[in-house]
Amino acid sequence: MGEGVVRGYLAAGADVVVPTRTQERAEEFRRLLGDSATDRLHLVVHDYTTFTGAEQLADEMERRLGGVDDVVAPIGGWWSGKRLWEIDENDWQSAFVGLAAAHMAVVRAFLPRLKTRGAYTLIVGASSSTPVPGSGLVSMEQAALLMMRQVLEAELDGQQRVFALVLGPVRTRLVESGDPDWVSADQVGAIAVAASGAVATGGREIRLRSQAEVHEALALLRAGRPAGTGTVVAVSTMAPAKGRRADLVEVLTGLAPQIRAEPGCLHYSVHRARGDADGPLLVIQMFTSIEAFRAHSAAVADQIPRIGALLATPPAPPTLFEPVSRSALIEEVGNDA
Ligand SMILES: NC(=O)c1ccc[n+]([C@@H]2O[C@H](COP(=O)([O-])OP(=O)(O)OC[C@H]3O[C@@H](n4cnc5c(N)ncnc54)[C@H](OP(=O)(O)O)[C@@H]3O)[C@@H](O)[C@H]2O)c1
């Protein structure tokens, strides 16, 4: 899960510190991220799972980076094989006590240092509320995290925000196949980034068990987020080749979940002229920045031949629009005068 979250924050332009307890995991992580591992990725080999270790990490981050904006904690994993009365003390210590202590250590070291309206995001599984026989320790520990979130939210009094992303089965590099309705690790990253930016939205539990729940969450988190001065609107008019309009609609609407889940995408919609069942289609997209638009162009580059084959004329790049500020308007009017 961490890979998707780190990719999302890097694509959004953040400096991302990834602590791990072993050198091997650090090297594996850098290799897996490939080109996404820019110089804004700071991999740190450090035991952040004890109270002292987490404090040291938080101190060091404040000293070197000047502070911490957000924390995402996908700390944990899966555990199964025994019914509750069959577990031994080792199981209890590692799958419950160790994990709960790691979460507590990170919360107490980082939460008081987050900037105002910063987001602390826990990542848990749906087993936190649905019992899974043979995996009771995971369910109990994750249920405790959901209550921890509620307590923190009540104690913080709106200063910072605490989210919990509650996941069903997820498509990761380890489980590429699976139901297309499953949420992907990159979509989880996009939601974490959107929660960070949705400063007007209070911390909450967000269920992400299907594509519909992902879109609902993105719509909630992105609603009311003011379009910044750097936002880019991309508009494309696409005239379908004779007899290919339905196929073009199918491809363009089929791309919606993937494009809307991009960390920098604020809007994607496909339109037709009112009452015109055969004419051109209008695609309207909005991105947080020109960098986000470029990342989007790279992400969909392999779709262009597929779309081009359905068009009456060769595909052209979209026209880009930026917000017009009042002062720029006055300047332009002044020049005309
Ligand atoms: N993957 C899924 O399909 C899925 C589905 C639903 C929910 N989730 C939830 O997402 C979260 C992350 O899962 P994941 O699949 O990304 O797991 P993962 O690949 O095993 O990563 C978990 C990370 O937690 C860290 N960790 C710290 N203390 C730990 C401890 N005592 N025991 C084990 N790990 C510890 C490890 O960091 P180090 O690098 O320091 O070892 C590890 O990188 C979990 O809460 C999980 O329940 C995952």
Side-chain angles (χ1 to χ4, degrees), residues 1 20-21 25 48-49 74-76 99 123-125 142 167-168 170:
M1 295 311 317
T20 173
R21 292 164 299 170
R25 291 277 283 191
Y48 54 91
T49 63
I75 302 172
L99 275 174
I123 298 191
V124 301
Q142 305 233 314
L167 315 178
V170 173

Side-chain angles (χ1 to χ4, degrees), residues 160-176:
Q160 288 84 12
R161 300 164 303 139
V162 186
F163 292 88
L165 308 187
V166 185
L167 315 178
V170 173
R171 271 181 286 132
T172 63
R173 92 191 125 78
L174 300 176
V175 193
E176 277 291 345

Side-chain angles (χ1 to χ4, degrees), residues 1-3 18-22 25-26 29 44 46-49 73-79 93-103 106 122-127 138 141-142 145 165-175 182-183 185 188 208:
M1 295 311 317
E3 284 171 49
V18 181
T20 173
R21 292 164 299 170
T22 60
R25 291 277 283 191
F29 195 73
V44 184
H46 178 76
D47 187 356
Y48 54 91
T49 63
I75 302 172
W78 192 237
W79 180 94
Q93 288 299 333
S94 65
F96 190 97
V97 179
L99 275 174
H103 275 284
V106 175
L122 294 157
I123 298 191
V124 301
S127 55
V138 178
E141 190 264 335
Q142 305 233 314
L145 294 180
L165 308 187
V166 185
L167 315 178
V170 173
R171 271 181 286 132
T172 63
R173 92 191 125 78
L174 300 176
V175 193
W182 285 6
V183 171
V188 176
L208 298 173

